Amino acid sequence: MMEKKGQMVLDLQRAAREGEWIAIPLPAVLPEGLDAGSHPHDVRKWLLALAVFPDKWINRLFSVGGIRLDSGRLLLKAYPHVDLNAHPLLAGVPEKRNVEGLDEPVILYEDDHCLVADKPSGMAVHPSRPGHSGTLDEWVLRHALETGQAALLRHIHRLDDDTAGPVLYAKHDLAQWRLDEAMRDKRIDRRYEALVEGAVKADRGKVNAPIGKDRHHRSRRRITPDGDHAVTHYQVLHRAPAASLVTLQLETGRTHQIRVHMAHLGHPLIGDTLYGARRQSSLTHQALHGIELTFPHPWLSHTVAVKSVRPAWWTAAARKLGLLQK
């Protein structure tokens, strides 16, 4: 088919970033009349015919002079110049990236197209108000600045402030479009571990219950017939008299989805007082963390699976509850 033919012609495996450009080796034989001196319009038509990349991306690059043939390579301007020092999230912010009292985020995966950062509990993914600093977005942009990558990284999904785990970022428009599409098509898989109150009876199950805003509490969500469709799968790994360790997989990504669904089952997350859990002196937030993120690579389409290590606070709480060995 056309896309397979195009992928054989352009060796995307050997593509590499060069400043503002992605450089892709050209095939040994080009269509008649196409060479290093060709007008970008002719190169654009060739790329549209190959159907390797979305038409809208090729047309956008063409509109800003972002398509060239040079020295046996196709150059695509995927990383337009940006001064990260002047970015609103970084301007006037000290270079020190860690936030007092929080673990440092960790890069779990990175290449020229995307990045996965392991967010610690207590850190917001993005600012919620003017002047809000110490977010994961800020940390990731600082990482790009310090490693010489002038790229406006954008998060593809979010986690609650107190939920730890992997967060996926795109480094250019094409990566963002493809990953956003993968998220809508449910081709990005997110798995979590949680400590919940009580011994969950069923070894595994599914919660299919719509979630909407709670009119009486601004921060809460609730099960409501006119809410958004929400599905969570769970499996019990260990039980103790007062708590269970469960893994969870999301079909949908509603705000507070795991927290609302487990509370709906009568097993709120340990430490999640917003949804009815008892107060735990050793834990002041929900015992929830992302353990694995799987997604189709936005450039090469192969599957990338990234795993996160259990946070120390989560392991300590699980051991205290008798759900992990000492």
Side-chain angles (χ1 to χ4, degrees), residues 13-162:
Q13 293 276 0
R14 294 172 58 200
R17 180 177 179 180
E18 296 183 6
E20 297 179 74
W21 304 82
I22 293 178
I24 308 170
L26 288 173
V29 179
L30 288 174
E32 185 177 353
L34 202 64
D35 54 36
S38 295
H39 192 280
H41 175 67
D42 296 323
V43 183
R44 178 181 72 95
K45 290 196 297 183
W46 173 57
L47 291 173
L48 292 175
L50 290 181
V52 174
F53 305 111
D55 290 0
K56 65 177 180 178
W57 191 57
I58 294 302
N59 288 328
R60 175 180 289 188
L61 293 179
F62 175 74
S63 71
V64 296
I67 299 176
R68 295 180 187 171
L69 293 186
D70 176 62
S71 302
R73 301 174 303 164
L74 168 67
L75 299 177
L76 302 176
K77 195 174 184 179
Y79 309 90
H81 175 71
V82 58
D83 181 4
L84 288 181
N85 282 300
H87 191 282
L89 293 183
L90 299 184
V93 177
E95 291 190 9
K96 185 179 179 181
R97 296 201 313 262
N98 62 309
V99 178
E100 185 176 355
L102 297 183
D103 294 332
E104 181 86 358
V106 175
I107 301 298
L108 298 175
Y109 176 89
E110 183 174 18
D111 59 27
D112 288 335
H113 310 282
C114 55
L115 174 151
V116 179
D118 205 11
K119 185 186 81 67
S121 175
M123 175 179 280
V125 170
H126 61 93
S128 60
R129 61 187 182 280
H132 182 187
S133 63
T135 64
L136 188 65
D137 282 358
E138 176 190 317
W139 188 92
V140 166
L141 287 172
R142 180 70 64 188
H143 164 78
L145 179 63
E146 293 179 351
T147 53
Q149 305 178 65
L152 287 174
L153 287 89
R154 306 171 182 91
H155 62 261
I156 301 301
H157 64 102
R158 295 173 291 178
L159 294 175
D160 293 346
D161 292 4
D162 287 331

Side-chain angles (χ1 to χ4, degrees), residues 30-312:
L30 288 174
E32 185 177 353
L34 202 64
D35 54 36
S38 295
H39 192 280
H41 175 67
D42 296 323
V43 183
R44 178 181 72 95
K45 290 196 297 183
W46 173 57
L47 291 173
L48 292 175
L50 290 181
V52 174
F53 305 111
D55 290 0
K56 65 177 180 178
W57 191 57
I58 294 302
N59 288 328
R60 175 180 289 188
L61 293 179
F62 175 74
S63 71
V64 296
I67 299 176
R68 295 180 187 171
L69 293 186
D70 176 62
S71 302
R73 301 174 303 164
L74 168 67
L75 299 177
L76 302 176
K77 195 174 184 179
Y79 309 90
H81 175 71
V82 58
D83 181 4
L84 288 181
N85 282 300
H87 191 282
L89 293 183
L90 299 184
V93 177
E95 291 190 9
K96 185 179 179 181
R97 296 201 313 262
N98 62 309
V99 178
E100 185 176 355
L102 297 183
D103 294 332
E104 181 86 358
V106 175
I107 301 298
L108 298 175
Y109 176 89
E110 183 174 18
D111 59 27
D112 288 335
H113 310 282
C114 55
L115 174 151
V116 179
D118 205 11
K119 185 186 81 67
S121 175
M123 175 179 280
V125 170
H126 61 93
S128 60
R129 61 187 182 280
H132 182 187
S133 63
T135 64
L136 188 65
D137 282 358
E138 176 190 317
W139 188 92
V140 166
L141 287 172
R142 180 70 64 188
H143 164 78
L145 179 63
E146 293 179 351
T147 53
Q149 305 178 65
L152 287 174
L153 287 89
R154 306 171 182 91
H155 62 261
I156 301 301
H157 64 102
R158 295 173 291 178
L159 294 175
D160 293 346
D161 292 4
D162 287 331
T163 300
V167 177
L168 176 60
Y169 284 81
K171 289 191 175 183
H172 52 72
D173 286 344
L174 176 61
Q176 182 181 11
W177 291 342
R178 284 181 166 169
L179 292 172
D180 281 344
E181 182 180 41
M183 180 66 75
R184 289 192 298 271
D185 293 344
K186 300 179 182 178
R187 290 182 288 120
I188 294 181
D189 184 37
R190 293 160 291 165
R191 294 179 60 238
Y192 298 81
E193 277 188 331
L195 306 175
V196 303
E197 292 190 350
V200 181
K201 292 182 179 180
D203 289 339
R204 62 181 66 232
K206 178 175 77 171
V207 184
N208 185 347
I211 295 175
K213 293 183 178 180
D214 189 329
R215 294 177 300 169
H216 306 292
H217 196 300
R218 184 176 180 180
S219 300
R220 282 174 55 101
R221 298 295 188 270
R222 66 187 183 95
I223 302 298
T224 177
D226 59 352
D228 295 321
H229 175 64
V231 178
T232 304
H233 300 266
Y234 68 89
Q235 180 178 357
V236 179
L237 295 185
H238 302 289
R239 293 183 182 88
S244 302
L245 191 165
V246 299
T247 60
L248 306 112
Q249 188 171 11
L250 300 180
E251 276 192 28
T252 54
R254 309 305 177 195
T255 300
H256 295 183
Q257 179 172 317
I258 289 174
R259 301 165 66 185
V260 173
H261 275 175
M262 294 311 294
H264 178 65
L265 287 181
H267 299 282
L269 273 59
I270 299 291
D272 194 3
T273 55
L274 182 64
Y275 289 102
R278 297 185 297 273
R279 293 193 176 275
Q280 301 282 331
S281 58
S282 59
L283 204 60
T284 58
H285 56 79
Q286 68 268 15
L288 177 67
H289 78 101
I291 57 175
E292 186 173 14
L293 174 69
T294 305
F295 61 94
H297 193 274
W299 184 256
L300 298 172
S301 299
H302 65 270
T303 299
V304 179
V306 181
K307 294 186 177 182
S308 173
V309 177
R310 287 170 170 167

